[in-house]
Amino acid sequence: MKTPKQRSVDPATVAMLEAAASKGLAVAWDRQEAMEPQCGFGQLGICCRNCTMGPCRIDPFGEGPAAGICGADADIIAARNLVRMIAGGAAAHSDHGRDIAHTLLMAAEDEKCDYQVKDEAKLRALAEELGVKADGKDLRQIARAVAEIAFGQFGQQHGEVVFAARAPADQQKRWQRARVMPRGVDREIVEIMHRTHIGVDNDPVNIILQGVRASLGDGWGGSMIATDLSDVLFRTPEWVRGRANLGVLEPANVNIIVHGHEPTLSEMIVAAAQDKEMVELAKSQGAKGITLSGICCTANEILMRHGIPVAGNFLQQELAVTTGVVDAMIVDVQCIFPALGALSQKFHTKFISTSPKAKFPFAEHIEFEESRALEIAKRIVRAAIENFPNRKTEPCVPGHSNPLVAGFTAENIYAMLGGRYRPSYRPLNDAIMSGRLRGVAGVVGCNNPKHRHDYGHTEMTKELIRNDVLVAVTGCTAVADAKAGLMCPEAAMEYAGRGLQEVCRAVGAPPVLHLGSCVDNSRILVVLSNMVKEGGLGESIADLPVAGAAPEWMSEKAVSIGFYVVASGVFTVLGEPLPVQGAPRVTRFVCEDMEELFGGKFAFEADPIKAARLMIDHIDAKRSALHLPGPMYEVPYAPRTAVEEARAAE
Amino acid sequence: MKKVYFDSRKCLGCHSCEFACAVEHSESKEAAKALLEEDRPLPRRRVRPVEGACLTIGCRHCDPAPCVEACMAGAMTKDADTGEVICDTDKCVGCWMCVMVCPFGAVRPGEVFTIKCDMCADREAGPVCVEACPTGALFEATADEFAQRRKAREAAKQAELKT
């Protein structure tokens, strides 16, 4: 068995793993070890359960079956499995986007709705972009028109997903040429399920191209709608201070954790938890007050907009309950362990599910309805408060939490870099062109108990920033970096290279920019498009000195994100390989051939330092293709010389 | 000695033992890399369907072992201490007599020399197939332990019949 320190680099997690072990509680890491060795066929992607002639399995060592009963070989099977993962991921993100669009529609139609447009400027900008004429319309009518267009994207049957027009023209041409321009968000997901049915699409590359199309419908469709309409409803984030890690839990207070993804629920819980009546009720139960915190992306949503503290990332969900001070764990959808049910039974914690789409064992279900949002949110908060006197175990809260600055968006990066007087991306492009910044990297994704918790995220981020690469983060990576103290402006002085330090000092930003939740990876796409538009760094995203990574990914959503990022032109390194390595042609397509079509490709590398260096090598290659100078200052991982390049090629 | 025993009622035919065995006997001991190795790793254990059930077949380390008696090169020996039947690949000449005489079909010809179960000699944690088996159909035991297990199972069955 691995020791707590081998399981995580995060001190709060290590402390809680020790506590869980002493209480005899099994958590995800224990279950992962019990699952070992994990099935090789599944890891290599060469088993198929799509029909009941099977299950079929290819023998990768060449002695047993080389084809399934229908005749599908390893490549066909792996491609089908892979795009079904994309379908799952794109469906999850897009359903989230659909819910937000629905909420905006409700807000537009009913002035008594608990949700109202909070960001008029963003709504007006979107309306203009979408061709909604403002002539004489009031705000509500504009909101309605925008919501209808957004809502329509999901069921659209032909044409192009509207926000694809935000991409540089060159990138759009690549999509049209490869025939992967998404027509509608849902249509592409449905078509994946059709094509992977027995006896439909049996060309591995053609199958994967449909996966690419669905993923683009996610990144430039469903996810982008989720981000933009959340900004309209709940306001575009501004720079905000916050704290992250289990130490934010306050034993003397009622502790409410929101865990999951959609801000419709968490925004209302924020309002309810700050309600005077609720705070008084908490005091009447013997608590000092109410502490609301978040886990996973719902934490990122309310951190970005309200500075609400983050209790932890994906692998810390069980550990939060184990502290014994969580009076309610409120969940909606995505990345929620069913294990929380049985675990919360061992404590006093109320495990409250809220979505009709997601019910859990041993959970109390209080269904959330957008039409009675605040009322239900108050009911949930009241249930948490009334549970405060039922605590039965000695509080065990690790004393670790770190300060952070979050709240960066494609919009406010303009202002951050250019100032109020002349907001512009120019300073960012100039800093890259001069070599002060070597490039930009997006580090995103989940936690995965196969990998040492947070180690991949934090080590990769440190290696990138000390080499003058500005890092943008979302999701569980963002929480990992925040906990490691990489997300406060002071971190630049401690960890960043000299060039990046200068940039951070000039604008007062941390070296690692928190762009939000996992649907907010769409913000990264917009930032990259804006960089191309600003000029000087090539004609498409594929020309930019940028790279992406997901060091500890595990979910289907991450596969969809990976594909839309790669198909948008970004070289992306995955810490956990895609389950395709039993299929040579599929592996070659995703790790090599995609570059010719889209400008981006995947690489698999579990070691975060080696992975960071692959990203830096790519950034350097893009710099020299743009005839840009090398890094302005000496950097620990120097650019490869032509001689080394040749040697490496051998 | 401990041998690898098999409970056919628990076998679901997943081939995990085969897979793990091939990877364990590769150069890299990692599935994705093993596929690319020049010498293709071969499993020492095979899963075969027998009358509607699954059977996983590996060397039984017989006593006396027909393959040892048949080996004219003196490559196949039975270790006096552990009871394991081991093929010394330096001595093996590839005459395949052992393959011919094995009553279980558990010894197979390789490219040059005989390939058979070595009880994962390099592996501290014991045979990898036992660990890879997700249902516990493969387990390691001495002959006595196995007999006791059989007895206990039989007793439980009788008790169940009575109630």
Side-chain angles (χ1 to χ4, degrees), chain A residues 36-37 39-41 43-44 46 57 59-64 581-583, chain B residues 13-15 19 22-23 31-32 34-35 40-43 46 108 131-132:
Chain A
E36 276 186 347
C39 174
F41 298 98
Q43 281 178 340
L44 298 177
I46 46 177
R57 201 175 21 210
D59 179 356
F61 302 109
E63 292 202 303
Q581 288 176 298
Chain B
C14 73
H15 295 252
F19 193 102
V23 173
L35 298 184
R40 190 183 57 187
L42 295 170
R46 304 308 307 269
R108 57 188 302 198
E131 200 175 296

Side-chain angles (χ1 to χ4, degrees), chain A residues 541-605:
Chain A
I541 296 174
D543 295 336
L544 296 172
V546 300
E552 302 177 30
W553 77 276
M554 58 89 209
S555 73
E556 289 174 326
K557 291 187 291 176
V559 182
S560 181
I561 295 168
F563 269 87
Y564 73 62
V565 167
V566 165
S568 297
V570 181
F571 170 67
T572 299
V573 188
L574 301 180
E576 176 70 21
L578 291 169
V580 297
Q581 288 176 298
R585 195 159 155 224
V586 172
T587 307
R588 200 182 65 223
F589 184 74
V590 298
C591 294
E592 292 172 33
D593 304 350
M594 274 186 86
E595 191 170 31
E596 204 185 318
L597 286 173
F598 304 114
K601 63 178 178 181
F602 285 104
F604 308 144
E605 176 54 61

Side-chain angles (χ1 to χ4, degrees), chain A residues 242-248 303 309-312 400-404 478-479 482-484:
Chain A
R243 291 194 80 82
N245 218 342
L246 291 166
V248 304
L303 165 71
V310 180
H400 307 276
S401 73
N402 264 303
L404 64 99
V479 178
K483 289 186 296 177

Side-chain angles (χ1 to χ4, degrees), chain A residues 348-362:
Chain A
H348 80 299
T349 306
K350 260 188 200 266
F351 179 40
I352 301 174
S353 59
T354 59
S355 168
K357 294 173 200 164
K359 295 194 175 181
F360 293 84
F362 302 110

